[in-house]
Amino acid sequence: MAGSAEQRRAPLDVRLLEGQKALVTGANSGIGKATAIALGRAGADVVVNYVAGAQEAEEVVARITGFGVRAYAHEADVSDEDQVVAMVARMVEEFGTIDIMVANAGLQRDAAVTEMTLAQWQKVIDVNLTGQFLCAREAAKEFVRRGVVPEVSRSAGKIICMSSVHQIVPWAGHVNYASSKGGVGMLMQTLAQELAPHRIRVNAIGPGAIRTPINRSAWDTPQAEAELLELIPYGRVGDPEDVADAVVAMASDLLDYVIGCTLYVDGGMTLFPGFATGG
Ligand code: BGC
């Protein structure tokens, strides 16, 4: 019983995030794209960050403005401090403030450890971990400065770190990526502890296997998909919208008392499916 985007129910037309301002990094493709669109549909104004692929970013902007909210695309490399500082400063200038930071941008540079170059290690740590630190830091400064605006949200701001099942699942051949996501888990928890007294909520979303360009080879042939499904008790590969809807919920006041949590959106991948019959 494979699922697909076509079979999804119509998106709920509830503007849970009316009047909020969101920034999504890596928002021109995959999970980031679906998330930026879902936030716009939920009533937020959205900055669509990208590092390459301006045309796709503009297409995402057009989808979002179609919901009657504001959006613009902003090119920046999340691992570059000056570019992240400038990106958030421009957002505060254009939208007045920021309420939701979705630190989503991420990449893989896979290799067996004996073959992995320092450049492959460093690139993944720079984008996936340092990039999230920089984005969270710049958002936190504005959240602390502005504080709670009760008409907008019960919290002074939300930081949502895009993690992975590999925050807790070791992954041979991907030591750079798994280490970056393990780091994201502790980054998120420590920031959650540090910022909660400011009424800032920091949480993570941990996607499993989602149909996006990052893992195309894992699902784009029937054989690859069949092998992948052995790792997914729920019996379908995830869609970007599965993750996007979780981000909307996490950013909304419905989950106002949820702090320092990783919500796995993985069809049960983190349940050690091999143990269903073994052990
Ligand atoms: C990775 C994908 C992988 C998935 C499940 C994600 O974080 O980016 O390549 O398919 O985890 O292993």
Side-chain angles (χ1 to χ4, degrees):
M1 222 191 4
S4 74
E6 292 73 50
Q7 291 168 324
R8 290 180 66 80
R9 78 285 179 279
L12 281 178
D13 210 5
V14 179
R15 291 172 71 100
L16 278 176
L17 304 175
E18 189 77 60
Q20 300 202 39
K21 323 288 178 197
L23 188 156
V24 183
T25 65
N28 58 325
S29 80
I31 288 172
K33 173 180 176 178
T35 296
I37 292 168
L39 292 169
R41 180 181 278 127
D45 295 333
V46 185
V47 177
V48 175
N49 161 260
Y50 68 100
V51 69
Q55 197 189 322
E56 281 174 298
E58 290 303 339
E59 284 163 18
V60 175
V61 166
R63 289 281 299 279
I64 295 170
T65 53
F67 301 123
V69 295
R70 289 184 293 170
Y72 66 84
H74 185 103
E75 180 185 342
D77 174 352
V78 295
S79 67
D80 182 305
E81 183 173 25
D82 293 344
Q83 292 185 35
V84 173
V85 170
M87 175 168 70
V88 175
R90 175 180 172 202
M91 179 174 181
V92 171
E93 222 175 276
E94 300 224 7
F95 285 174
T97 192
I98 175 170
D99 302 288
I100 301 162
M101 168 62 83
V102 185
N104 166 78
L107 46 74
Q108 291 181 213
R109 293 287 183 272
D110 308 330
V113 65
T114 48
E115 307 296 324
M116 188 175 286
T117 63
L118 179 59
Q120 285 173 318
W121 168 269
Q122 198 63 55
K123 179 75 179 171
V124 171
I125 298 296
D126 285 350
V127 173
N128 295 13
L129 183 56
T130 307
Q132 293 211 10
F133 159 71
L134 291 170
C135 290
R137 186 189 72 184
E138 291 311 298
K141 286 180 191 168
E142 171 63 8
F143 297 162
V144 169
R145 183 200 67 75
R146 192 206 55 230
V148 177
V149 180
E151 308 77 59
V152 174
S153 173
R154 295 182 74 180
S155 103
K158 280 79 62 166
I159 295 167
I160 298 175
C161 299
M162 197 56 69
S163 188
S164 165
V165 292
H166 300 297
Q167 182 179 310
I168 52 168
V169 178
W171 202 17
H174 308 77
V175 69
N176 47 1
Y177 184 83
S179 301
S180 75
K181 295 302 185 179
V184 164
M186 190 50 75
L187 171 82
M188 178 280 288
Q189 286 182 293
T190 300
L191 293 181
Q193 187 194 63
E194 184 170 336
L195 295 172
H198 296 279
R199 281 288 165 88
I200 296 167
R201 296 201 293 116
V202 188
N203 290 284
I205 304 288
I210 309 298
R211 231 179 268 279
T212 72
I214 206 173
N215 61 356
R216 182 175 299 281
S217 63
W219 50 261
D220 73 348
T221 66
Q223 195 201 333
E225 181 165 354
E227 279 171 27
L228 184 57
L229 287 175
E230 287 182 17
L231 298 174
I232 309 172
Y234 203 54
R236 71 172 173 88
V237 177
D239 298 312
E241 291 75 14
D242 288 313
V243 181
D245 288 348
V247 174
V248 170
M250 189 62 99
S252 80
D253 279 4
L254 286 176
L255 270 58
D256 185 59
Y257 210 52
V258 176
I259 314 284
C261 152
T262 300
L263 174 60
Y264 289 101
V265 182
D266 69 348
M269 199 175 225
T270 43
L271 297 175
F272 298 97
F275 278 81
T277 52

